[in-house]
Amino acid sequence: MEPPDLLEPPRIDEQNRRLCHATSKRTGEPCNAPAMHGMDVCRIHGGSAPQARRSARQRLLDLVDPAIATLAREMEQAESSSDRQRAANSILDRAGYARLPKIDEDEARDILVQRLIELRDARVSRATRGANVIEGAVTEPRKAHSRETE
């Protein structure tokens, strides 16, 4: 397999995914499978090999520091406040400090009430298994009549 021309832009499909650089031995046509993350080839053309996965993971990790430096520079030098805030949020998200979703009080209360009702119903269901329920009251199940007790 011939290495891809580095000056040639990568092929992109309709879903904006990079396509494999390999060509089919049978038809000579370019492979139309999406390339694996951090690679130039698909899984069929060597992307699933352990050494290829390790190399791809290392290439992606090598880009982390420059990407954070770019975001930090943008955060400090951006002209608009919203651009600085987006850069800061992006850095925080990648560092594991994701923003928590805002929960409406009424929605939280409804969820809690629904969950409590489900738990109560489950408890009542377990308690009434084999018992008789008469007008909402739980009575002990009747014992089976056996000849030995007579």
Side-chain angles (χ1 to χ4, degrees):
M1 180 171 67
E2 187 177 309
D5 184 5
L6 297 178
L7 298 176
E8 179 183 319
R11 293 183 314 122
I12 306 291
D13 68 1
E14 307 83 41
Q15 298 171 345
N16 206 27
R17 297 179 300 187
R18 289 178 54 154
L19 294 177
C20 178
H21 280 284
T23 56
S24 169
K25 289 180 185 177
R26 188 171 46 87
T27 65
E29 296 290 319
C31 177
N32 288 320
M36 294 186 68
H37 294 290
M39 299 186 205
D40 292 327
V41 292
C42 66
R43 66 181 180 83
I44 301 298
H45 292 109
S48 62
Q51 66 274 17
R53 288 176 166 263
R54 275 192 304 273
S55 295
R57 187 172 25 257
Q58 188 59 49
R59 280 192 300 275
L60 291 173
L61 288 173
D62 289 343
L63 295 174
V64 169
D65 287 338
I68 289 176
T70 300
L71 285 170
R73 194 169 42 255
E74 177 67 21
M75 188 176 71
E76 293 171 356
Q77 298 174 356
E79 292 187 18
S80 74
S81 174
S82 62
D83 290 343
R84 288 191 299 273
Q85 186 176 11
R86 271 197 302 276
N89 285 336
S90 185
I91 291 171
L92 291 172
D93 286 347
R94 283 163 179 74
Y97 296 102
R99 289 170 278 156
L100 298 175
K102 185 173 181 173
I103 298 176
D104 180 39
E105 282 184 42
D106 293 332
E107 184 180 343
R109 188 177 304 112
D110 292 343
I111 292 170
L112 179 60
V113 167
Q114 182 64 33
R115 183 66 180 134
L116 289 172
I117 290 170
E118 290 170 3
L119 290 171
R120 183 199 62 201
D121 291 347
R123 180 189 282 168
V124 168
S125 174
R126 281 193 304 271
T128 59
R129 232 179 257 142
N132 296 325
V133 178
I134 301 172
E135 293 182 17
V138 178
T139 62
E140 290 297 316
R142 295 173 67 187
K143 294 187 179 181
H145 185 69
S146 68
R147 293 183 178 193
E148 292 131 13
T149 58
E150 291 181 356

